[in-house]
Amino acid sequence: QVQLVESGGGLVQAGGSLRLSCAASGLTFSSIAVGWFRQAPGKEREWVAVMSKSGTSTLYRNSVKGRFTISRDNAKNTVLLQMNSLQPEDTAVYYCAADRTGVVATGPSAYDYWGQGTQVTVSS
């Protein structure tokens, strides 16, 4: 049974930082691409950062470039999202996702497994 479990969300003031973590189990972690997505109330789910199975290929949404960093530790079956200089518009539920093809993809439909999400709230 595949499980993705996010943690690290919370309430932070604008300009602050949070680090999200996603622990994966039930799959061969080194063979999957991983992604972070977010969904704000009343909006569609959007991709934030994605990484290939090897970690050599990454993509960032323009609005988070230079502020967010995705990383993975294949030995610990974990993917991280370091978020700095947070802004109120970053407020959303953040989801971790896994793609069995192993290549980077930004469309939610490409991902096979999803976590339950973790709330990030940035106050102004």
Side-chain angles (χ1 to χ4, degrees), residues 49-110:
V50 297
M51 176 176 276
S52 62
K53 63 181 180 180
S54 65
T56 57
S57 181
T58 58
L59 294 174
Y60 292 94
R61 189 173 196 82
N62 282 341
S63 61
V64 308
K65 280 182 181 177
R67 300 189 297 124
F68 291 11
T69 303
I70 187 172
S71 61
R72 66 187 295 161
D73 186 336
N74 286 351
K76 296 182 178 179
N77 288 8
T78 300
V79 57
L80 303 176
L81 184 68
Q82 178 66 42
M83 305 186 295
N84 298 327
S85 301
L86 283 161
Q87 300 302 314
E89 52 266 34
D90 295 317
T91 295
V93 177
Y94 283 70
Y95 298 90
C96 171
D99 175 4
R100 290 178 296 181
T101 67
V103 298
V104 291
T106 59
S109 62

Side-chain angles (χ1 to χ4, degrees), residues 34-53:
V34 292
W36 285 98
F37 290 74
R38 66 187 181 187
Q39 188 166 18
K43 295 188 177 181
E44 293 187 352
R45 189 169 299 190
E46 63 184 21
W47 71 282
V48 175
V50 297
M51 176 176 276
S52 62
K53 63 181 180 180

Side-chain angles (χ1 to χ4, degrees), residues 14 32 110 115 119:
I32 61 165
Q119 177 70 47

